[in-house]
Amino acid sequence: MRIVFMGTPDFAAAPLEAIVKSGKHQVTGVITQPDKPKGRGKSMQFTPVKEKALEYGIPVWQPEKINTPEMLELLKEQAPDCIVVAAFGQILKKDILELPRYGCINIHASLLPHLRGAAPIQWAVIQGDETAGVTTMWMNEGLDTGDMLLKKELVLDAQETGGSLFDKLSGCGCELILETLDSLEAGTIVRTPQTGESSYAPVLTKELGNIDWTKPAAEIERLIRGLNPWPSAYSYLNGKMIKIWSAKVLEPCEEAPGTLILLDKHSIAAACGDRALEICELQAEGKKRMTADAWLRGVKFEKDMQFSQKRS
């Protein structure tokens, strides 16, 4: 079938490549978000989906707004049998949704109706979900509210991070969209309305990673894993940011939340609202990621050292 693909980040680039490599479908065009400046030099950075499309010689469009008369006309010219959407970043309106004969199919990285919204992968880890997955969905005008088509589920590892789950679900999304497209073409697809309690996965912000040490240690540990690698969990020590990349929940402690505890000459912990949290890997401002052992070799540990949510 003729497909127009809409997506932006790495999660979307993988299924785009899977569709192209399958050889079963013709991707006539790709629509992605506009390029953005990145880094100190503020050079324009292609989206991962744009990079993948150009690699395969597929035409790319990058509208500021998708729901315009101009984009509708462009899509009509493409005459897609199906529009596949994955983490595109804009809501499609009725005129576009009703254009393809097989509809607009979304690849969503959760087991709907759980974790609708922008960041389901990271929130699955942060919330301590035991399972996660991918759902293909027949899109409507709501936010991830359309009929479900196919699902793939997996069990989260005890040390799952946002990054590791991202990789696993990206692979699931590739498999699932190919199965979905085959079923659509064969006329065997079954649409299942979403029922039951729903939840929402809001956009991630850098501020979300600012650790509140009064929270339970297990909750903080999940936050650290969920925000690894982006936007990362952090705190402040002596006015400088410390990113925390991995940690381990320890026994209850009576120190004030945020207080650093020297466990031995090689390891440290921080007091939380209930227990201590061993800091296994961290990154001082302007430095590389390192183990707690390496960090301790470069600082003078003092008894009253304490993490803070503020720089000063």
Side-chain angles (χ1 to χ4, degrees), residues 211-245:
I211 297 171
D212 179 357
W213 295 100
T214 66
K215 299 285 188 180
E219 184 176 327
I220 296 172
E221 190 271 340
R222 293 197 305 267
L223 180 73
I224 291 167
R225 287 190 286 111
L227 300 186
N228 180 355
W230 193 90
S232 75
Y234 63 91
S235 198
Y236 294 100
L237 185 66
N238 297 328
K240 293 188 176 182
M241 180 185 287
I242 302 285
K243 291 184 178 181
I244 300 176
W245 294 109

PDB file of all heavy atoms in Angstrom, residues 211-245:
ATOM      1  N   ILE A 211      15.595  16.318  42.254  1.00  0.00           N
ATOM      2  CA  ILE A 211      15.200  15.331  43.261  1.00  0.00           C
ATOM      3  C   ILE A 211      14.728  15.984  44.557  1.00  0.00           C
ATOM      4  O   ILE A 211      15.409  16.836  45.136  1.00  0.00           O
ATOM      5  CB  ILE A 211      16.371  14.382  43.568  1.00  0.00           C
ATOM      6  CG1 ILE A 211      16.755  13.585  42.318  1.00  0.00           C
ATOM      7  CG2 ILE A 211      16.016  13.420  44.703  1.00  0.00           C
ATOM      8  CD1 ILE A 211      18.021  12.777  42.462  1.00  0.00           C
ATOM      9  N   ASP A 212      13.563  15.554  45.002  1.00  0.00           N
ATOM     10  CA  ASP A 212      13.026  15.942  46.306  1.00  0.00           C
ATOM     11  C   ASP A 212      13.384  14.829  47.286  1.00  0.00           C
ATOM     12  O   ASP A 212      12.782  13.761  47.279  1.00  0.00           O
ATOM     13  CB  ASP A 212      11.508  16.121  46.210  1.00  0.00           C
ATOM     14  CG  ASP A 212      10.874  16.492  47.546  1.00  0.00           C
ATOM     15  OD1 ASP A 212      11.595  16.560  48.565  1.00  0.00           O
ATOM     16  OD2 ASP A 212       9.644  16.704  47.566  1.00  0.00           O
ATOM     17  N   TRP A 213      14.370  15.086  48.130  1.00  0.00           N
ATOM     18  CA  TRP A 213      14.908  14.042  49.003  1.00  0.00           C
ATOM     19  C   TRP A 213      13.976  13.670  50.151  1.00  0.00           C
ATOM     20  O   TRP A 213      14.239  12.713  50.873  1.00  0.00           O
ATOM     21  CB  TRP A 213      16.276  14.470  49.537  1.00  0.00           C
ATOM     22  CG  TRP A 213      17.284  14.583  48.430  1.00  0.00           C
ATOM     23  CD1 TRP A 213      17.691  15.724  47.807  1.00  0.00           C
ATOM     24  CD2 TRP A 213      17.974  13.505  47.782  1.00  0.00           C
ATOM     25  NE1 TRP A 213      18.595  15.438  46.806  1.00  0.00           N
ATOM     26  CE2 TRP A 213      18.793  14.084  46.779  1.00  0.00           C
ATOM     27  CE3 TRP A 213      17.991  12.121  47.960  1.00  0.00           C
ATOM     28  CZ2 TRP A 213      19.605  13.314  45.954  1.00  0.00           C
ATOM     29  CZ3 TRP A 213      18.793  11.349  47.130  1.00  0.00           C
ATOM     30  CH2 TRP A 213      19.590  11.940  46.143  1.00  0.00           C
ATOM     31  N   THR A 214      12.875  14.405  50.296  1.00  0.00           N
ATOM     32  CA  THR A 214      11.895  14.017  51.317  1.00  0.00           C
ATOM     33  C   THR A 214      11.012  12.865  50.835  1.00  0.00           C
ATOM     34  O   THR A 214      10.290  12.267  51.629  1.00  0.00           O
ATOM     35  CB  THR A 214      10.994  15.203  51.714  1.00  0.00           C
ATOM     36  OG1 THR A 214      10.178  15.585  50.600  1.00  0.00           O
ATOM     37  CG2 THR A 214      11.828  16.396  52.157  1.00  0.00           C
ATOM     38  N   LYS A 215      11.080  12.547  49.547  1.00  0.00           N
ATOM     39  CA  LYS A 215      10.283  11.452  48.991  1.00  0.00           C
ATOM     40  C   LYS A 215      10.891  10.106  49.408  1.00  0.00           C
ATOM     41  O   LYS A 215      12.072  10.018  49.778  1.00  0.00           O
ATOM     42  CB  LYS A 215      10.265  11.541  47.469  1.00  0.00           C
ATOM     43  CG  LYS A 215       9.662  12.815  46.910  1.00  0.00           C
ATOM     44  CD  LYS A 215       8.158  12.806  47.027  1.00  0.00           C
ATOM     45  CE  LYS A 215       7.558  14.009  46.293  1.00  0.00           C
ATOM     46  NZ  LYS A 215       6.080  14.015  46.404  1.00  0.00           N
ATOM     47  N   PRO A 216      10.119   9.018  49.334  1.00  0.00           N
ATOM     48  CA  PRO A 216      10.656   7.693  49.642  1.00  0.00           C
ATOM     49  C   PRO A 216      11.796   7.323  48.698  1.00  0.00           C
ATOM     50  O   PRO A 216      11.805   7.704  47.525  1.00  0.00           O
ATOM     51  CB  PRO A 216       9.451   6.768  49.440  1.00  0.00           C
ATOM     52  CG  PRO A 216       8.260   7.651  49.608  1.00  0.00           C
ATOM     53  CD  PRO A 216       8.660   8.981  49.074  1.00  0.00           C
ATOM     54  N   ALA A 217      12.754   6.567  49.205  1.00  0.00           N
ATOM     55  CA  ALA A 217      13.933   6.198  48.428  1.00  0.00           C
ATOM     56  C   ALA A 217      13.562   5.428  47.162  1.00  0.00           C
ATOM     57  O   ALA A 217      14.150   5.635  46.096  1.00  0.00           O
ATOM     58  CB  ALA A 217      14.890   5.380  49.282  1.00  0.00           C
ATOM     59  N   ALA A 218      12.597   4.514  47.253  1.00  0.00           N
ATOM     60  CA  ALA A 218      12.200   3.718  46.087  1.00  0.00           C
ATOM     61  C   ALA A 218      11.636   4.603  44.981  1.00  0.00           C
ATOM     62  O   ALA A 218      11.878   4.362  43.791  1.00  0.00           O
ATOM     63  CB  ALA A 218      11.177   2.662  46.489  1.00  0.00           C
ATOM     64  N   GLU A 219      10.896   5.635  45.362  1.00  0.00           N
ATOM     65  CA  GLU A 219      10.316   6.561  44.389  1.00  0.00           C
ATOM     66  C   GLU A 219      11.425   7.357  43.687  1.00  0.00           C
ATOM     67  O   GLU A 219      11.385   7.561  42.465  1.00  0.00           O
ATOM     68  CB  GLU A 219       9.347   7.508  45.092  1.00  0.00           C
ATOM     69  CG  GLU A 219       8.607   8.450  44.173  1.00  0.00           C
ATOM     70  CD  GLU A 219       7.585   9.294  44.908  1.00  0.00           C
ATOM     71  OE1 GLU A 219       6.994   8.794  45.890  1.00  0.00           O
ATOM     72  OE2 GLU A 219       7.379  10.455  44.506  1.00  0.00           O
ATOM     73  N   ILE A 220      12.410   7.786  44.458  1.00  0.00           N
ATOM     74  CA  ILE A 220      13.535   8.531  43.878  1.00  0.00           C
ATOM     75  C   ILE A 220      14.360   7.640  42.958  1.00  0.00           C
ATOM     76  O   ILE A 220      14.787   8.057  41.874  1.00  0.00           O
ATOM     77  CB  ILE A 220      14.408   9.123  44.994  1.00  0.00           C
ATOM     78  CG1 ILE A 220      13.606  10.153  45.796  1.00  0.00           C
ATOM     79  CG2 ILE A 220      15.673   9.769  44.419  1.00  0.00           C
ATOM     80  CD1 ILE A 220      14.319  10.667  47.037  1.00  0.00           C
ATOM     81  N   GLU A 221      14.570   6.398  43.373  1.00  0.00           N
ATOM     82  CA  GLU A 221      15.349   5.466  42.558  1.00  0.00           C
ATOM     83  C   GLU A 221      14.672   5.219  41.210  1.00  0.00           C
ATOM     84  O   GLU A 221      15.337   5.139  40.164  1.00  0.00           O
ATOM     85  CB  GLU A 221      15.538   4.154  43.331  1.00  0.00           C
ATOM     86  CG  GLU A 221      16.535   3.186  42.703  1.00  0.00           C
ATOM     87  CD  GLU A 221      15.908   2.243  41.696  1.00  0.00           C
ATOM     88  OE1 GLU A 221      14.666   2.060  41.748  1.00  0.00           O
ATOM     89  OE2 GLU A 221      16.645   1.694  40.853  1.00  0.00           O
ATOM     90  N   ARG A 222      13.348   5.119  41.205  1.00  0.00           N
ATOM     91  CA  ARG A 222      12.618   4.939  39.938  1.00  0.00           C
ATOM     92  C   ARG A 222      12.722   6.186  39.066  1.00  0.00           C
ATOM     93  O   ARG A 222      12.839   6.091  37.839  1.00  0.00           O
ATOM     94  CB  ARG A 222      11.151   4.606  40.208  1.00  0.00           C
ATOM     95  CG  ARG A 222      10.916   3.251  40.855  1.00  0.00           C
ATOM     96  CD  ARG A 222       9.455   2.830  40.703  1.00  0.00           C
ATOM     97  NE  ARG A 222       8.524   3.826  41.210  1.00  0.00           N
ATOM     98  CZ  ARG A 222       8.038   3.844  42.441  1.00  0.00           C
ATOM     99  NH1 ARG A 222       8.421   2.929  43.329  1.00  0.00           N
ATOM    100  NH2 ARG A 222       7.181   4.784  42.807  1.00  0.00           N
ATOM    101  N   LEU A 223      12.675   7.350  39.692  1.00  0.00           N
ATOM    102  CA  LEU A 223      12.813   8.604  38.949  1.00  0.00           C
ATOM    103  C   LEU A 223      14.176   8.644  38.255  1.00  0.00           C
ATOM    104  O   LEU A 223      14.283   9.023  37.084  1.00  0.00           O
ATOM    105  CB  LEU A 223      12.670   9.794  39.887  1.00  0.00           C
ATOM    106  CG  LEU A 223      12.792  11.176  39.230  1.00  0.00           C
ATOM    107  CD1 LEU A 223      11.546  11.483  38.404  1.00  0.00           C
ATOM    108  CD2 LEU A 223      13.017  12.265  40.280  1.00  0.00           C
ATOM    109  N   ILE A 224      15.215   8.254  38.969  1.00  0.00           N
ATOM    110  CA  ILE A 224      16.565   8.246  38.410  1.00  0.00           C
ATOM    111  C   ILE A 224      16.634   7.335  37.193  1.00  0.00           C
ATOM    112  O   ILE A 224      17.185   7.709  36.145  1.00  0.00           O
ATOM    113  CB  ILE A 224      17.584   7.806  39.481  1.00  0.00           C
ATOM    114  CG1 ILE A 224      17.701   8.878  40.562  1.00  0.00           C
ATOM    115  CG2 ILE A 224      18.956   7.532  38.865  1.00  0.00           C
ATOM    116  CD1 ILE A 224      18.429   8.420  41.816  1.00  0.00           C
ATOM    117  N   ARG A 225      16.055   6.136  37.302  1.00  0.00           N
ATOM    118  CA  ARG A 225      16.076   5.205  36.177  1.00  0.00           C
ATOM    119  C   ARG A 225      15.200   5.687  35.019  1.00  0.00           C
ATOM    120  O   ARG A 225      15.576   5.588  33.850  1.00  0.00           O
ATOM    121  CB  ARG A 225      15.620   3.814  36.623  1.00  0.00           C
ATOM    122  CG  ARG A 225      16.654   3.094  37.474  1.00  0.00           C
ATOM    123  CD  ARG A 225      16.285   1.632  37.702  1.00  0.00           C
ATOM    124  NE  ARG A 225      15.185   1.451  38.644  1.00  0.00           N
ATOM    125  CZ  ARG A 225      13.982   1.012  38.324  1.00  0.00           C
ATOM    126  NH1 ARG A 225      13.693   0.711  37.057  1.00  0.00           N
ATOM    127  NH2 ARG A 225      13.046   0.852  39.255  1.00  0.00           N
ATOM    128  N   GLY A 226      14.037   6.222  35.353  1.00  0.00           N
ATOM    129  CA  GLY A 226      13.116   6.653  34.306  1.00  0.00           C
ATOM    130  C   GLY A 226      13.647   7.815  33.484  1.00  0.00           C
ATOM    131  O   GLY A 226      13.384   7.903  32.284  1.00  0.00           O
ATOM    132  N   LEU A 227      14.412   8.704  34.113  1.00  0.00           N
ATOM    133  CA  LEU A 227      14.937   9.882  33.415  1.00  0.00           C
ATOM    134  C   LEU A 227      16.341   9.666  32.858  1.00  0.00           C
ATOM    135  O   LEU A 227      17.005  10.617  32.443  1.00  0.00           O
ATOM    136  CB  LEU A 227      14.928  11.091  34.350  1.00  0.00           C
ATOM    137  CG  LEU A 227      13.546  11.500  34.881  1.00  0.00           C
ATOM    138  CD1 LEU A 227      13.656  12.787  35.684  1.00  0.00           C
ATOM    139  CD2 LEU A 227      12.536  11.659  33.747  1.00  0.00           C
ATOM    140  N   ASN A 228      16.801   8.426  32.858  1.00  0.00           N
ATOM    141  CA  ASN A 228      18.093   8.061  32.271  1.00  0.00           C
ATOM    142  C   ASN A 228      17.849   7.501  30.873  1.00  0.00           C
ATOM    143  O   ASN A 228      17.142   6.504  30.725  1.00  0.00           O
ATOM    144  CB  ASN A 228      18.766   7.008  33.156  1.00  0.00           C
ATOM    145  CG  ASN A 228      20.115   6.551  32.652  1.00  0.00           C
ATOM    146  OD1 ASN A 228      20.563   6.930  31.574  1.00  0.00           O
ATOM    147  ND2 ASN A 228      20.772   5.709  33.439  1.00  0.00           N
ATOM    148  N   PRO A 229      18.306   8.129  29.788  1.00  0.00           N
ATOM    149  CA  PRO A 229      19.359   9.145  29.737  1.00  0.00           C
ATOM    150  C   PRO A 229      18.880  10.594  29.676  1.00  0.00           C
ATOM    151  O   PRO A 229      19.715  11.508  29.760  1.00  0.00           O
ATOM    152  CB  PRO A 229      20.076   8.786  28.436  1.00  0.00           C
ATOM    153  CG  PRO A 229      18.970   8.309  27.549  1.00  0.00           C
ATOM    154  CD  PRO A 229      18.031   7.550  28.461  1.00  0.00           C
ATOM    155  N   TRP A 230      17.596  10.845  29.439  1.00  0.00           N
ATOM    156  CA  TRP A 230      17.128  12.237  29.340  1.00  0.00           C
ATOM    157  C   TRP A 230      15.788  12.372  30.013  1.00  0.00           C
ATOM    158  O   TRP A 230      14.961  11.483  29.902  1.00  0.00           O
ATOM    159  CB  TRP A 230      17.011  12.673  27.869  1.00  0.00           C
ATOM    160  CG  TRP A 230      16.836  14.145  27.740  1.00  0.00           C
ATOM    161  CD1 TRP A 230      17.823  15.085  27.612  1.00  0.00           C
ATOM    162  CD2 TRP A 230      15.590  14.869  27.755  1.00  0.00           C
ATOM    163  NE1 TRP A 230      17.267  16.340  27.566  1.00  0.00           N
ATOM    164  CE2 TRP A 230      15.908  16.241  27.644  1.00  0.00           C
ATOM    165  CE3 TRP A 230      14.247  14.496  27.875  1.00  0.00           C
ATOM    166  CZ2 TRP A 230      14.929  17.237  27.629  1.00  0.00           C
ATOM    167  CZ3 TRP A 230      13.268  15.481  27.877  1.00  0.00           C
ATOM    168  CH2 TRP A 230      13.608  16.830  27.747  1.00  0.00           C
ATOM    169  N   PRO A 231      15.578  13.475  30.730  1.00  0.00           N
ATOM    170  CA  PRO A 231      16.466  14.634  30.926  1.00  0.00           C
ATOM    171  C   PRO A 231      17.453  14.478  32.080  1.00  0.00           C
ATOM    172  O   PRO A 231      18.212  15.381  32.352  1.00  0.00           O
ATOM    173  CB  PRO A 231      15.486  15.763  31.194  1.00  0.00           C
ATOM    174  CG  PRO A 231      14.317  15.095  31.857  1.00  0.00           C
ATOM    175  CD  PRO A 231      14.203  13.735  31.204  1.00  0.00           C
ATOM    176  N   SER A 232      17.415  13.358  32.774  1.00  0.00           N
ATOM    177  CA  SER A 232      18.283  12.983  33.895  1.00  0.00           C
ATOM    178  C   SER A 232      17.802  13.559  35.227  1.00  0.00           C
ATOM    179  O   SER A 232      17.197  14.625  35.294  1.00  0.00           O
ATOM    180  CB  SER A 232      19.746  13.398  33.654  1.00  0.00           C
ATOM    181  OG  SER A 232      19.942  14.792  33.810  1.00  0.00           O
ATOM    182  N   ALA A 233      18.070  12.802  36.287  1.00  0.00           N
ATOM    183  CA  ALA A 233      17.768  13.241  37.649  1.00  0.00           C
ATOM    184  C   ALA A 233      19.003  13.929  38.217  1.00  0.00           C
ATOM    185  O   ALA A 233      20.132  13.554  37.906  1.00  0.00           O
ATOM    186  CB  ALA A 233      17.378  12.050  38.517  1.00  0.00           C
ATOM    187  N   TYR A 234      18.773  14.941  39.052  1.00  0.00           N
ATOM    188  CA  TYR A 234      19.910  15.722  39.541  1.00  0.00           C
ATOM    189  C   TYR A 234      19.595  16.352  40.882  1.00  0.00           C
ATOM    190  O   TYR A 234      18.444  16.418  41.331  1.00  0.00           O
ATOM    191  CB  TYR A 234      20.271  16.817  38.534  1.00  0.00           C
ATOM    192  CG  TYR A 234      19.161  17.835  38.312  1.00  0.00           C
ATOM    193  CD1 TYR A 234      19.076  18.999  39.072  1.00  0.00           C
ATOM    194  CD2 TYR A 234      18.177  17.628  37.344  1.00  0.00           C
ATOM    195  CE1 TYR A 234      18.065  19.916  38.884  1.00  0.00           C
ATOM    196  CE2 TYR A 234      17.150  18.534  37.149  1.00  0.00           C
ATOM    197  CZ  TYR A 234      17.100  19.686  37.913  1.00  0.00           C
ATOM    198  OH  TYR A 234      16.079  20.586  37.733  1.00  0.00           O
ATOM    199  N   SER A 235      20.658  16.846  41.527  1.00  0.00           N
ATOM    200  CA  SER A 235      20.530  17.610  42.749  1.00  0.00           C
ATOM    201  C   SER A 235      21.689  18.598  42.779  1.00  0.00           C
ATOM    202  O   SER A 235      22.519  18.633  41.854  1.00  0.00           O
ATOM    203  CB  SER A 235      20.549  16.692  43.980  1.00  0.00           C
ATOM    204  OG  SER A 235      20.026  17.360  45.104  1.00  0.00           O
ATOM    205  N   TYR A 236      21.752  19.403  43.820  1.00  0.00           N
ATOM    206  CA  TYR A 236      22.833  20.388  43.942  1.00  0.00           C
ATOM    207  C   TYR A 236      23.646  20.116  45.199  1.00  0.00           C
ATOM    208  O   TYR A 236      23.096  19.776  46.252  1.00  0.00           O
ATOM    209  CB  TYR A 236      22.271  21.810  43.977  1.00  0.00           C
ATOM    210  CG  TYR A 236      21.610  22.219  42.682  1.00  0.00           C
ATOM    211  CD1 TYR A 236      20.223  22.182  42.549  1.00  0.00           C
ATOM    212  CD2 TYR A 236      22.372  22.624  41.591  1.00  0.00           C
ATOM    213  CE1 TYR A 236      19.610  22.557  41.363  1.00  0.00           C
ATOM    214  CE2 TYR A 236      21.778  23.001  40.394  1.00  0.00           C
ATOM    215  CZ  TYR A 236      20.396  22.961  40.288  1.00  0.00           C
ATOM    216  OH  TYR A 236      19.798  23.314  39.106  1.00  0.00           O
ATOM    217  N   LEU A 237      24.946  20.261  45.062  1.00  0.00           N
ATOM    218  CA  LEU A 237      25.860  20.077  46.176  1.00  0.00           C
ATOM    219  C   LEU A 237      26.883  21.208  46.149  1.00  0.00           C
ATOM    220  O   LEU A 237      27.591  21.382  45.154  1.00  0.00           O
ATOM    221  CB  LEU A 237      26.562  18.721  46.066  1.00  0.00           C
ATOM    222  CG  LEU A 237      27.468  18.335  47.239  1.00  0.00           C
ATOM    223  CD1 LEU A 237      26.650  18.131  48.510  1.00  0.00           C
ATOM    224  CD2 LEU A 237      28.242  17.062  46.905  1.00  0.00           C
ATOM    225  N   ASN A 238      26.912  21.984  47.217  1.00  0.00           N
ATOM    226  CA  ASN A 238      27.807  23.144  47.288  1.00  0.00           C
ATOM    227  C   ASN A 238      27.650  24.062  46.078  1.00  0.00           C
ATOM    228  O   ASN A 238      28.630  24.581  45.520  1.00  0.00           O
ATOM    229  CB  ASN A 238      29.266  22.686  47.407  1.00  0.00           C
ATOM    230  CG  ASN A 238      29.523  21.901  48.679  1.00  0.00           C
ATOM    231  OD1 ASN A 238      28.892  22.155  49.709  1.00  0.00           O
ATOM    232  ND2 ASN A 238      30.427  20.934  48.605  1.00  0.00           N
ATOM    233  N   GLY A 239      26.406  24.264  45.668  1.00  0.00           N
ATOM    234  CA  GLY A 239      26.115  25.203  44.588  1.00  0.00           C
ATOM    235  C   GLY A 239      26.310  24.669  43.190  1.00  0.00           C
ATOM    236  O   GLY A 239      26.111  25.406  42.219  1.00  0.00           O
ATOM    237  N   LYS A 240      26.697  23.392  43.034  1.00  0.00           N
ATOM    238  CA  LYS A 240      26.924  22.828  41.710  1.00  0.00           C
ATOM    239  C   LYS A 240      26.017  21.621  41.468  1.00  0.00           C
ATOM    240  O   LYS A 240      25.737  20.854  42.391  1.00  0.00           O
ATOM    241  CB  LYS A 240      28.389  22.428  41.540  1.00  0.00           C
ATOM    242  CG  LYS A 240      29.338  23.627  41.519  1.00  0.00           C
ATOM    243  CD  LYS A 240      30.751  23.208  41.150  1.00  0.00           C
ATOM    244  CE  LYS A 240      31.671  24.422  41.039  1.00  0.00           C
ATOM    245  NZ  LYS A 240      33.049  24.039  40.638  1.00  0.00           N
ATOM    246  N   MET A 241      25.592  21.492  40.210  1.00  0.00           N
ATOM    247  CA  MET A 241      24.691  20.391  39.873  1.00  0.00           C
ATOM    248  C   MET A 241      25.433  19.053  39.868  1.00  0.00           C
ATOM    249  O   MET A 241      26.544  18.944  39.368  1.00  0.00           O
ATOM    250  CB  MET A 241      24.052  20.615  38.502  1.00  0.00           C
ATOM    251  CG  MET A 241      23.099  19.500  38.085  1.00  0.00           C
ATOM    252  SD  MET A 241      22.450  19.683  36.407  1.00  0.00           S
ATOM    253  CE  MET A 241      21.307  21.055  36.641  1.00  0.00           C
ATOM    254  N   ILE A 242      24.768  18.053  40.444  1.00  0.00           N
ATOM    255  CA  ILE A 242      25.248  16.669  40.389  1.00  0.00           C
ATOM    256  C   ILE A 242      24.152  15.830  39.739  1.00  0.00           C
ATOM    257  O   ILE A 242      23.049  15.716  40.276  1.00  0.00           O
ATOM    258  CB  ILE A 242      25.546  16.105  41.797  1.00  0.00           C
ATOM    259  CG1 ILE A 242      26.584  16.953  42.530  1.00  0.00           C
ATOM    260  CG2 ILE A 242      25.987  14.639  41.691  1.00  0.00           C
ATOM    261  CD1 ILE A 242      27.998  16.777  42.055  1.00  0.00           C
ATOM    262  N   LYS A 243      24.436  15.257  38.568  1.00  0.00           N
ATOM    263  CA  LYS A 243      23.485  14.334  37.957  1.00  0.00           C
ATOM    264  C   LYS A 243      23.686  12.954  38.559  1.00  0.00           C
ATOM    265  O   LYS A 243      24.827  12.529  38.770  1.00  0.00           O
ATOM    266  CB  LYS A 243      23.684  14.279  36.444  1.00  0.00           C
ATOM    267  CG  LYS A 243      23.285  15.553  35.727  1.00  0.00           C
ATOM    268  CD  LYS A 243      23.420  15.393  34.220  1.00  0.00           C
ATOM    269  CE  LYS A 243      22.967  16.654  33.500  1.00  0.00           C
ATOM    270  NZ  LYS A 243      23.079  16.509  32.027  1.00  0.00           N
ATOM    271  N   ILE A 244      22.592  12.265  38.819  1.00  0.00           N
ATOM    272  CA  ILE A 244      22.668  10.928  39.408  1.00  0.00           C
ATOM    273  C   ILE A 244      22.112   9.940  38.397  1.00  0.00           C
ATOM    274  O   ILE A 244      20.955  10.039  37.970  1.00  0.00           O
ATOM    275  CB  ILE A 244      21.907  10.874  40.740  1.00  0.00           C
ATOM    276  CG1 ILE A 244      22.529  11.882  41.723  1.00  0.00           C
ATOM    277  CG2 ILE A 244      21.938   9.459  41.321  1.00  0.00           C
ATOM    278  CD1 ILE A 244      21.814  12.004  43.031  1.00  0.00           C
ATOM    279  N   TRP A 245      22.937   8.988  37.999  1.00  0.00           N
ATOM    280  CA  TRP A 245      22.589   8.076  36.919  1.00  0.00           C
ATOM    281  C   TRP A 245      22.116   6.705  37.406  1.00  0.00           C
ATOM    282  O   TRP A 245      21.345   6.039  36.725  1.00  0.00           O
ATOM    283  CB  TRP A 245      23.782   7.901  35.982  1.00  0.00           C
ATOM    284  CG  TRP A 245      24.124   9.144  35.250  1.00  0.00           C
ATOM    285  CD1 TRP A 245      25.209   9.955  35.432  1.00  0.00           C
ATOM    286  CD2 TRP A 245      23.356   9.770  34.207  1.00  0.00           C
ATOM    287  NE1 TRP A 245      25.185  11.032  34.574  1.00  0.00           N
ATOM    288  CE2 TRP A 245      24.054  10.941  33.807  1.00  0.00           C
ATOM    289  CE3 TRP A 245      22.166   9.447  33.570  1.00  0.00           C
ATOM    290  CZ2 TRP A 245      23.588  11.782  32.804  1.00  0.00           C
ATOM    291  CZ3 TRP A 245      21.691  10.290  32.570  1.00  0.00           C
ATOM    292  CH2 TRP A 245      22.396  11.435  32.194  1.00  0.00           C
TER     293      TRP A 245
END
